[in-house]
Amino acid sequence: MRKKKKLTVKRILKIIAGIIVFFTLPTLLLYGFVYFKYNEELPQGENTPQADILANKMLTALNFEAYKATDYIEWTFKKRHHYKWNKAKNICEVYWKNYKVNLDLNNKFNSKVFKNETPITSQDKNELIEKAITYFNNDSFWLVAPYKVFDNGTTRSIVTKENNEKALLVTYNSGGSTPGDSYLWHLDEEHKPKSFQMWVDILPIGGLKATWNDWKTTKTGAQLPTFHKMMVLGIEIEDIITKQSL
């Protein structure tokens, strides 16, 4: 009869180490594969007047005037977060799980937080406001990023690709949750965005590409995306509603 080994501290540590390796090694191998396959250095663009011309052509293709005249946008992001953004007043209701934050984007300290419709006034309030701001900054960017290429703190430059096509590199030097992020916009023949590549603080791999080609012309005329694909991941944007003159 096989003798049962005694569980010593040393043996327990070896078992734990084995479990960690079992679960982390495939992840590390996958990360290494993705990194060497997709990682790119941030390209050096030419900061010329042509960059602003290209940016304006992109805005024209998306009917920027209609977007500017849109006072209200409502949407659901990845079936997890829901937003009612009064763009004209710069306030937004942010919903997730059983929380609601009435977010004042001009002054976060005026924001109000609810759980199951009950106001929260404890220390948790500030943490939930910060979470709502992070959600809004990320999720609204996936909705309206092309319209933000002339935001304060942005710089624009031209990148010439291998096929001699021109791409628009936009860097956000301030604002948002992760200032310093850069996005390289690839445009179609009508100068409408079809994808961008990202060099962002939250991603360890530079140059990952996401599509921008599932567009919806909304009631106000603003064009907004309904889906992005990044590698094998899908980012759904649903329940889009736009209004003017609230």
Side-chain angles (χ1 to χ4, degrees), residues 131-201:
K131 181 174 287 190
I133 291 172
T134 299
Y135 285 162
F136 176 83
N137 287 341
N138 178 77
D139 301 356
S140 65
F141 194 83
W142 284 103
L143 185 73
V144 302
Y147 297 115
K148 296 173 66 64
V149 295
F150 282 101
D151 278 9
N152 291 335
T154 57
T155 56
R156 290 155 299 283
S157 56
I158 292 285
V159 172
T160 303
K161 300 187 290 184
E162 292 181 359
N163 58 5
N164 288 322
E165 288 185 4
K166 306 297 183 184
L168 177 66
L169 181 64
V170 180
T171 298
Y172 292 81
N173 300 300
S174 62
S177 298
T178 55
D181 292 349
S182 295
Y183 301 84
L184 184 64
W185 289 96
H186 301 278
L187 312 178
D188 63 18
E189 294 178 355
E190 298 178 348
H191 301 106
K192 195 170 182 178
K194 56 184 181 180
S195 66
F196 68 19
Q197 289 177 267
M198 299 171 283
W199 287 263
V200 297
D201 186 62

Side-chain angles (χ1 to χ4, degrees), residues 66-74 85-88 218-222 240-246:
Y67 172 75
K68 284 198 300 182
T70 299
D71 298 311
Y72 174 90
I73 304 177
E74 183 175 340
W85 180 22
N86 187 324
K87 192 161 71 75
T218 65
K219 186 176 180 179
T220 61
I240 298 175
I241 299 172
T242 61
K243 298 178 184 178
Q244 292 177 329
S245 302
L246 290 178

Side-chain angles (χ1 to χ4, degrees), residues 49-238:
Q50 296 300 316
D52 284 0
I53 292 173
L54 185 58
N56 276 308
K57 287 181 177 179
M58 180 176 74
L59 291 177
T60 298
L62 291 173
N63 198 351
F64 182 49
E65 293 302 316
Y67 172 75
K68 284 198 300 182
T70 299
D71 298 311
Y72 174 90
I73 304 177
E74 183 175 340
W75 77 98
T76 300
F77 186 80
K78 294 177 67 174
K79 302 184 185 297
R80 299 175 187 173
H81 309 150
H82 188 71
Y83 299 88
K84 296 180 180 180
W85 180 22
N86 187 324
K87 192 161 71 75
K89 295 182 179 179
N90 209 23
I91 57 178
C92 185
E93 295 179 13
V94 184
Y95 301 82
W96 74 96
K97 295 182 179 177
N98 53 350
Y99 293 105
K100 178 179 78 169
V101 177
N102 292 341
L103 194 60
D104 187 328
L105 296 165
N106 294 317
N107 185 351
K108 65 181 181 180
F109 298 106
N110 291 333
S111 302
K112 297 179 180 179
V113 182
F114 302 86
K115 182 177 182 180
N116 296 325
E117 301 301 324
T118 302
I120 294 177
T121 57
S122 64
Q123 182 61 35
D124 292 340
K125 175 182 176 181
N126 293 332
E127 295 179 8
L128 290 165
I129 289 172
E130 292 299 332
K131 181 174 287 190
I133 291 172
T134 299
Y135 285 162
F136 176 83
N137 287 341
N138 178 77
D139 301 356
S140 65
F141 194 83
W142 284 103
L143 185 73
V144 302
Y147 297 115
K148 296 173 66 64
V149 295
F150 282 101
D151 278 9
N152 291 335
T154 57
T155 56
R156 290 155 299 283
S157 56
I158 292 285
V159 172
T160 303
K161 300 187 290 184
E162 292 181 359
N163 58 5
N164 288 322
E165 288 185 4
K166 306 297 183 184
L168 177 66
L169 181 64
V170 180
T171 298
Y172 292 81
N173 300 300
S174 62
S177 298
T178 55
D181 292 349
S182 295
Y183 301 84
L184 184 64
W185 289 96
H186 301 278
L187 312 178
D188 63 18
E189 294 178 355
E190 298 178 348
H191 301 106
K192 195 170 182 178
K194 56 184 181 180
S195 66
F196 68 19
Q197 289 177 267
M198 299 171 283
W199 287 263
V200 297
D201 186 62
I202 61 172
L203 293 177
I205 298 173
L208 286 180
K209 182 178 286 189
T211 62
W212 281 76
N213 52 12
D214 287 78
W215 294 94
K216 172 183 178 179
T217 300
T218 65
K219 186 176 180 179
T220 61
Q223 297 186 50
L224 299 173
T226 59
F227 184 80
H228 304 284
K229 184 177 181 180
M230 184 172 65
M231 298 176 60
V232 297
L233 303 176
I235 299 173
E236 291 181 290
I237 302 175
E238 302 173 296

